[in-house]
Amino acid sequence: MIRHTGIVVDNIEESIDFYTSNFNLVVKSNMLEQGQYIDAMLGIADVKVRTVKLSDTKGGLIELLKFENLTQVFEDSFWRLTDFGCSHVAFTVPDVELCHRQMADSGCINVSDPQTPPGNKVKVFFSQTPKKFGGVFIEIVQEL
């Protein structure tokens, strides 16, 4: 069972707005975590991290993390979809064409126009969020 996907972000409020408005996720929890437990778990002394869990209608979770008291470097460079590490997060949406426009309007880089693979069961494209929203690749899928 997958529990959640964690994404470290630069601006927590803008990131909440981005993920809730584009993917109809709802905030399930929003807390500031600090103290001995979180310090020990992360191996960082005196850490303060805002964690916001966003849920879809079936219980799938995205966890946004903003480290409140650590310097985070968000360069303008982007990762590649083929780089090692977390590859992407996938969302099913009702209208892939609309989402394609919304991603571009939100400052994302769309890797391609929506494509229909052999079998004609889905329409799909990849988009990369700006670094302030985690810089992650998002796979957008519409079931046909």
Side-chain angles (χ1 to χ4, degrees), residues 1-139:
M1 173 174 90
I2 297 172
R3 186 173 181 89
H4 66 263
T5 299
I7 302 170
V8 176
V9 300
D10 184 39
N11 185 309
I12 196 78
E13 295 304 325
E14 285 184 23
S15 297
I16 291 168
D17 183 56
F18 173 80
Y19 286 100
T20 57
S21 64
N22 286 301
F23 303 110
N24 297 318
L25 302 178
V26 295
V27 175
K28 290 307 229 182
S29 68
N30 184 340
M31 66 182 113
L32 181 64
E33 297 186 71
Q34 60 186 348
Q36 186 177 8
Y37 163 74
I38 196 77
D39 290 358
M41 185 174 72
L42 297 177
I44 303 169
D46 302 316
V47 70
K48 292 180 184 177
V49 60
R50 171 83 46 206
T51 59
V52 178
K53 287 197 170 99
L54 305 171
S55 176
D56 66 16
T57 58
K58 297 189 181 206
L61 291 175
I62 297 289
E63 181 182 53
L64 303 178
L65 302 111
K66 168 60 177 150
F67 289 90
E68 301 287 334
N69 62 335
L70 298 177
T71 301
Q72 293 171 270
V73 177
F74 288 86
E75 298 174 4
D76 291 334
S77 63
F78 283 88
W79 294 289
R80 294 175 305 235
L81 189 55
T82 56
D83 283 350
F84 287 108
C86 179
S87 171
H88 65 278
V89 177
F91 291 98
T92 300
V93 300
D95 185 340
V96 74
E97 301 291 341
L98 174 63
C99 194
H100 190 266
R101 289 189 299 275
Q102 289 173 326
M103 294 297 94
D105 291 346
S106 296
C108 296
I109 297 173
N110 290 330
V111 176
S112 71
D113 290 330
Q115 305 292 311
T116 304
N120 299 319
K121 294 183 179 180
V122 296
K123 238 181 169 176
V124 62
F125 74 95
F126 278 92
S127 189
Q128 186 177 24
T129 67
K131 285 265 181 137
K132 68 180 178 179
F133 301 145
V136 298
F137 283 96
I138 297 177
E139 179 181 10

